[in-house]
Amino acid sequence: MMPSETSAPFSASSSGDRHPARLRRSVLCVPADNARALAKIASLACDAVIYDLEDAVSVDNKVAARQTLADHLQRQRRSDIEVIIRINDLKTPFGEKDLAFALTLSPDAIFLPKVESPQDIQAVVDFLSENDAPDSVRLWAMIETPRGVLNAAAIAETGRTSGGRLDCFVPGLNDLRKDTGVAALPGRTYLIAWLMQILLAARSCGLDIIDAVFNDFRDDAGFAAECAEGRDMGFDGKMLIHPAQIGPANGAFGVADTALADARSIIDAFALPENADKAVINLNGLMVERLHLDQALRLAAKADAINEKGKNP
Ligand code: COA
Ligand code: MG
């Protein structure tokens, strides 16, 4: 249906398709079979944890890792962080059991590795519906193979379908480098085009997107540079492999004081009675439109969420 020309064109709450204030600055991957690392989560300031049954767990530990994870979540599940379980590829001998097992733990999301086509998502959506999984159980997808990158737009579209649970993409550069031969260079020179392609696909369907891991967890300067790069490219946060990466990621993907001050001045300007009906205003020599107000409101909501969480380093 076409919108009415007489309906109110300006809504202070029109902040676009994307969730305005969900924090996913720091998304830490923890091997599900590593009891020491699991115990550490209690004291960490990450926004989300990926409990990994896939690449971080050896074949010999795959089955035992499920029980270790179940015991851990039963004892010390945190309600203030997103709980995401990465299962093995459904094409492996472990995938299907992982999926059924993950559902029993009521995660916020199930994370599918090596997603290559819309059918990969649909098969899991069907499984979840058949097993009466609540809508709150979302899906995340790793885009980490050449076919996955080429099909990213079609995969993202599954998030728009009725009952579609897809919420977030994460590019997997270790696998992508392995499959393509692209070198691991600072600045990710030859990978940027694919990262942006995946990001565009995600945004075209209102999905979140988290930047790939940085392997060298003792290289603080390299990590800071890659976080800044990922933030400027438009990512919501970074997938992490080590607790030392949490603080820097929270900082890089947080809200800078100057950006918040700019946002507040835009919000204040549009709140003035003389600007109530204006589509565009002059803010100290800067052209500011209603779309900038949407961005400013989203940023302010994110700053509020960070304050609320009390984890802004
Ligand atoms: N989550 C939670 N805690 C972690 C952690 C993680 N991802 N990585 C390390 N730690 C803990 C360690 O257990 C250690 O705790 P302790 O002091 O109680 O012993 C502390 O942080 C310091 O760890 P450190 O000695 O610097 O590293 P390590 O040798 O124990 O581990 C890795 C290094 C790379 C093996 C480990 O960080 C890891 O497994 N990371 C995740 C890998 C992964 O998930 N890969 C798949 C996705 S790409
Ligand atoms: Mg992988």
Side-chain angles (χ1 to χ4, degrees):
M1 199 180 74
M2 297 288 283
S4 153
E5 281 188 18
T6 53
S7 62
F10 305 133
S11 157
S13 64
S14 62
S15 54
D17 281 340
R18 291 163 55 207
H19 192 290
R22 180 175 42 210
L23 295 177
R24 286 176 173 163
R25 300 164 298 172
S26 49
V27 180
L28 178 68
C29 196
V30 186
D33 64 341
N34 184 337
R36 234 186 134 95
L38 291 169
K40 197 125 198 135
I41 295 168
S43 63
L44 298 178
C46 48
D47 290 331
V49 166
I50 296 166
Y51 294 95
D52 192 23
L53 295 164
E54 199 222 8
D55 285 346
V57 176
S58 69
V59 169
D60 289 348
N61 272 358
K62 293 280 189 203
V63 174
R66 292 185 200 132
Q67 195 54 48
T68 309
L69 175 56
D71 293 344
H72 162 77
L73 285 175
Q74 195 166 27
R75 273 197 318 273
Q76 48 156 283
R77 180 174 184 149
R78 282 177 58 176
S79 57
D80 60 333
I81 55 174
E82 252 183 303
V83 171
I84 299 141
I85 300 176
R86 187 165 77 165
I87 65 172
N88 284 282
D89 191 342
L90 292 173
K91 293 183 215 64
T92 70
F94 307 103
E96 280 188 21
K97 282 210 172 129
D98 281 353
L99 177 58
F101 162 78
L103 188 53
T104 66
L105 300 180
S106 305
D108 294 307
I110 295 174
F111 194 6
L112 309 176
K114 300 189 174 63
V115 174
E116 298 203 303
S117 69
Q119 291 73 28
D120 290 345
I121 301 287
Q122 197 54 50
V124 178
V125 167
D126 292 345
F127 173 88
L128 294 175
S129 305
E130 282 156 19
N131 287 277
D132 300 321
D135 278 351
S136 58
V137 179
R138 314 302 297 172
L139 291 178
W140 286 31
M142 292 283 306
I143 306 294
E144 54 183 340
T145 64
R147 281 191 67 219
V149 178
L150 289 171
N151 291 334
I155 296 166
E157 284 290 337
T158 65
R160 280 192 194 271
T161 57
S162 140
R165 296 171 185 262
L166 189 62
D167 218 36
C168 189
F169 274 175
V170 186
L173 294 186
N174 286 325
D175 275 288
L176 208 45
R177 286 188 191 105
K178 170 174 155 262
D179 285 358
T180 60
V182 172
L185 301 175
R188 303 184 287 191
T189 315
Y190 302 111
L191 293 163
I192 294 286
W194 297 339
L195 287 170
M196 293 309 295
Q197 191 176 332
I198 301 167
L199 186 140
L200 194 61
R203 297 305 192 208
S204 75
C205 295
L207 304 182
D208 275 7
I209 180 158
I210 306 300
D211 199 0
V213 300
F214 183 81
N215 297 334
D216 191 351
F217 59 85
R218 296 208 171 115
D219 178 2
D220 297 342
F223 182 66
E226 198 169 285
C227 280
E229 178 183 86
R231 178 200 56 222
D232 292 346
M233 288 167 72
F235 286 98
D236 295 298
K238 198 153 176 74
M239 181 168 161
L240 311 177
I241 50 160
H242 193 278
Q245 296 179 325
I246 295 171
N250 282 348
F253 292 94
V255 177
D257 291 345
T258 48
L260 184 58
D262 290 346
R264 295 227 187 276
S265 63
I266 291 172
I267 294 166
D268 291 347
F270 273 111
L272 293 172
E274 62 265 35
N275 291 332
D277 295 327
K278 289 195 182 146
V280 57
I281 58 174
N282 170 352
L283 186 62
N284 306 322
L286 195 67
M287 179 196 73
V288 180
E289 297 176 292
R290 292 272 163 183
L291 65 91
H292 298 113
L293 176 60
D294 286 346
Q295 283 179 290
L297 288 167
R298 192 185 302 139
L299 199 88
K302 183 174 174 183
D304 288 347
I306 291 169
N307 278 340
E308 185 92 353
K309 208 157 181 188
K311 288 182 184 163
N312 203 6

